[in-house]
């Protein structure tokens, strides 16, 4: 997809699985199982989809997938299915190497978004996967990741982000701002403190990388929020604001975790968001 001076594309790095009840919070299983399938452990399949933005002399990634630093036990727990080098293989399909990436915008430092930002080298040291990439993160999320609370501590794994700071790659931002020409980050604090959504383009026909505010198409209804969210009522208000704006300006919504639907456009009505087109990537 062409957005202004950028070419925007979706990269698939693998799939994993999380508990369906946790993914849909108070929504009864009788309702959410109409939107997705669950296995014998009540887990639903989820994509690990990153976004590649190319133009203005830059190769920009949004999020880095779950990474490959997992034990067999954890691979089984999260149902992770991906190549041995998930991010590297996805880039190779676009004729890129990790060294070609100039910027990595991390929505937030949970393991399924930042895990692929680091890897093991041959000596089992943890090093940046993208050695030349500036890593853009909200300062509030970085600060929270250092001292997470009991609810989300298991999602913030220091090996996924401390090596980035030690390598001098991290650049922190505060609030909504255009961090690169035509690329704006929009804070979102319902899921976790300091998540940032990524908007490519200005005004009409932009693309919004929804991160974990709206992880799948099934999460478009306003009350359908995750049990993982720290502040679900904040998530609800953020969704209302973003979805109305997405409708008014005809944004494309890019889903990081939907296993079948990469993206959609919506119209906002009295009953909420109505999908008008899907899979625009």
């Amino acid at each position: 997809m062409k957005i202004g001076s950028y070419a925007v594309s979706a990269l698939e790095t693998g799939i994993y699985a999380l508990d369906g009840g946790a993914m849909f919070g108070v929504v009864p299983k009788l309702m959410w199982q109409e939107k997705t399938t669950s296995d014998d452990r009540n887990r639903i399949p989820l994509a690990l989809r990153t976004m590649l933005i190319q133009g203005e002399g830059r190769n920009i990634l949004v999020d880095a997938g779950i990474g490959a630093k997992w034990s067999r036990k954890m691979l089984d727990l999260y149902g992770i299915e991906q190549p041995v080098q998930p991010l590297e293989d996805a880039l190779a399909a676009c004729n890129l190497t990790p060294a070609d990436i100039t910027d990595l915008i991390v929505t937030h430092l949970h393991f399924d978004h930042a895990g692929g930002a680091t890897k093991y080298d041959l000596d089992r040291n943890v090093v940046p996967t993208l050695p030349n990439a500036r890593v853009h993160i909200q300062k509030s999320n970085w600060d929270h990741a250092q001292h997470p609370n009991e609810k989300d501590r298991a999602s913030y794994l220091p090996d996924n982000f401390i090596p980035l700071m030690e390598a001098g790659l991290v650049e922190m931002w505060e609030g909504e701002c255009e961090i690169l020409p035509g690329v704006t980050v929009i804070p979102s604090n319902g899921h976790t403190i300091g998540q940032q959504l990524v908007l490519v383009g200005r005004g009409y026909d932009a693309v919004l990388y929804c991160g974990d505010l709206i992880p799948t198409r099934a999460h478009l209804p306003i009350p359908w929020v995750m049990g993982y969210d720290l502040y679900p009522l904040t998530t609800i208000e953020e969704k209302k604001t973003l979805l109305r704006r997405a409708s008014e300006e005809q944004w494309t919504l890019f889903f990081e975790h939907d296993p079948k639907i990469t993206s959609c456009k919506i119209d906002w009505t009295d009953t909420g968001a109505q999908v008008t087109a899907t899979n625009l990537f």
Side-chain angles (χ1 to χ4, degrees), residues 210-253:
C210 295
D212 275 348
L213 178 64
I214 310 172
T216 75
R217 175 182 171 171
H219 290 86
L220 284 172
I222 297 301
W224 290 48
V225 301
M226 292 187 286
Y228 296 113
D229 291 358
L230 294 185
Y231 307 106
L233 294 180
T234 300
T235 298
I236 284 172
E237 292 306 313
E238 291 173 342
K239 285 173 67 174
K240 289 179 184 177
T241 299
L242 265 295
L243 289 173
R244 287 191 182 107
R245 189 175 171 190
S247 174
E248 290 169 1
E249 300 187 20
Q250 280 302 288
W251 292 349
T252 296
L253 302 177

Side-chain angles (χ1 to χ4, degrees), residues 78-150:
Y78 290 116
I80 299 170
E81 297 180 18
Q82 59 184 7
V84 175
Q85 296 183 306
L87 190 57
E88 293 91 333
D89 285 6
L91 290 173
C94 299
N95 297 314
L96 294 171
T97 71
D100 293 324
I101 302 303
T102 58
D103 301 87
L104 171 63
I105 306 172
V106 179
T107 58
H108 58 299
L109 293 167
H110 282 175
F111 63 75
D112 53 330
H113 300 258
T118 63
K119 65 176 185 177
Y120 289 126
D121 67 11
L122 295 177
D123 297 317
R124 297 289 289 181
N125 299 309
V126 181
V127 298
T129 305
L130 310 170
N132 300 318
R134 298 297 301 171
V135 180
H136 305 272
I137 187 75
Q138 285 284 310
K139 183 178 184 301
S140 57
N141 188 246
W142 180 270
D143 292 344
H144 179 63
Q146 314 310 305
H147 306 285
N149 57 45
E150 288 83 356

Side-chain angles (χ1 to χ4, degrees), residues 151-258:
K151 185 171 184 178
D152 63 356
R153 182 172 294 141
S155 294
Y156 286 106
L157 307 179
D159 273 355
N160 291 337
F161 49 87
I162 295 300
L164 305 175
M165 178 63 77
E166 292 174 343
L169 298 176
V170 175
E171 187 165 350
M172 298 190 196
W173 300 88
E174 296 187 62
E176 180 172 338
C177 46
E178 189 174 38
I179 64 171
L180 294 164
V183 180
T184 300
V185 292
I186 302 172
S188 171
N189 294 292
H191 177 60
T192 189
I193 296 169
Q195 180 180 202
Q196 57 183 6
L197 313 183
V198 182
L199 184 68
V200 184
R202 300 183 179 101
Y204 285 87
D205 291 324
V207 174
L208 181 71
Y209 191 90
C210 295
D212 275 348
L213 178 64
I214 310 172
T216 75
R217 175 182 171 171
H219 290 86
L220 284 172
I222 297 301
W224 290 48
V225 301
M226 292 187 286
Y228 296 113
D229 291 358
L230 294 185
Y231 307 106
L233 294 180
T234 300
T235 298
I236 284 172
E237 292 306 313
E238 291 173 342
K239 285 173 67 174
K240 289 179 184 177
T241 299
L242 265 295
L243 289 173
R244 287 191 182 107
R245 189 175 171 190
S247 174
E248 290 169 1
E249 300 187 20
Q250 280 302 288
W251 292 349
T252 296
L253 302 177
F254 186 109
F255 300 124
E256 185 164 8
H257 290 317
D258 194 302

